[in-house]
Amino acid sequence: MPTANTRELDRLWDVVIIGAGMGGGFTARALAEAGYDVLLVDRGYKERGGPAENSSAEKSSQNDDLAECKWPGPSACEVDGTLTRHFGIFGAGVGGSTNLYAAALERFARHDVESLPEAPHPTGGWPIEYNRLLPYYEKAERMLHVAGTRDPLNPDPVDHLPQPPPLGPADTQFVQSFTKSGAHPYRLHVGIRYLPGCDECLGKLCPRNCRADARSVVREGSSQPTILERAEAVRLEASQDKVSKVILRQDGVETAVCAKVFVLAAGAVHTPKLLLESRGEHWPDGVANRTGMVGRNLMFHAGFQFIMWPRKKHPSSGPRKSICLRDFYLVDGQRLGVVQSSGFEAGYGYLLVYLYSAFDRGPFRWLRVLRPFLRVPAALAIKLRGPGTIFSTIVEDLPYADNRIVIDRNEEDGVVMKYTVRQELRDRILRFHRLLRNTLDKRTLFFPPDVTLNLSHACGTCVMGNDPATSVINPDCRVHGITNLFITDASFMPTSAGINPSLTVAANALRVSESIKRTLAGES
């Protein structure tokens, strides 16, 4: 991938893309392969590992984080009035958060996008039909080397995926147990090539290019964008209907870069941050924020975990990110979510944390002297049963205008995610928890049904819609009223669905790239 420096930026680019994660990476590849001059800008490094050993780049803890593709500072999130700060929610560098993701690449269901007679949509549906995404889903799956088997509950055929390696003995027993209980398990769709000796590299950097991500998608393109690394987008400069330039900061120096089209793909937190910071004569409250919708409708995913043990102790073997079932995705018209293998085992420490949590909530929590003795049953359980397998649930979040991104320059990241948990979300999680407890066999241990937010699945802060009064971008993901500004990250999503968002972000980026091509060709 060619690298730019600030001396090469003084020209009119066809397209400047801010953010090199799933949305930005797929948009960059599509437009570069179409012959356009594309500059892909990211705050992290082009290569994993950061600067070469002989580089003169100053070593610092921030550089170390960026070299590991981690966001260099904490992100602030206020949930129900309690403020906390977290590291590692977002990724950095070419590939963005996909450098560290678990590569679960599932499609949304048709009822996630459209309102169907048998499954009314909670917001009335997206402003596009599900069929608009289908060809791009398949294209993205092929680009990400997605493997898996067909979901037996999905009426839309997905028959082009390669078969993943056979399950290990423990997961084979889990599939049998799920099936016996009346569920319909299938092989989770994952972007993993399963090269010999594959370790799946869940939640960490993949050293062998076995796990597919946005970075590998860009690298495998027949033509590639120019990369500007270690550069932060500070603000956009715009007239009433057009963006003229973006101000970038690299090594403390600001540079103005001009383009025919600008694409924001910095994620559902940092894309609205950039828009809100881009105040000017024509946009006193920030670019695209004339109706005050930028940053609103923040959504995550929620869920809980449980541990399963096979009937017999088995050594760990076979793929770990392996099983999915959607039997509880929609129950009596209520949107619950999916069950997936997390890819991780529950050993002594994990089980002890569970017992501590259960004790701290129980009627004897005042007898603190008993708490240390929980180590005994935890150790006995692992000795008798061996490590368990952790399963996770993903529960759909719904949009509320007061859940939002707010500028706060006192925070290192410059923003706060403000979020209030609704009772309807608590109720859906509790129902999901009860249904699973009543369905699965007795070799299962459930964590309490608390609302645990997945902050890495932020979405919905610049939502797509037909009405500028209630949305930020139109169905082509072009900002209302601005002819040359598009958004292709997860902030476009009107609702979160109850499944991993990565594949839908990739498919939508490919769809929106067609609209960008028409704009560059002067057709719209």
Side-chain angles (χ1 to χ4, degrees), residues 372-384:
F373 292 96
L374 293 173
R375 299 172 184 174
V376 176
L380 285 175
I382 296 301
K383 183 175 181 179
L384 293 174

Side-chain angles (χ1 to χ4, degrees), residues 76-84 416-420:
C77 187
E78 183 181 299
V79 178
D80 292 339
T82 300
L83 182 67
T84 58
V416 175
M417 297 173 270
K418 288 183 175 286
Y419 186 92
T420 300

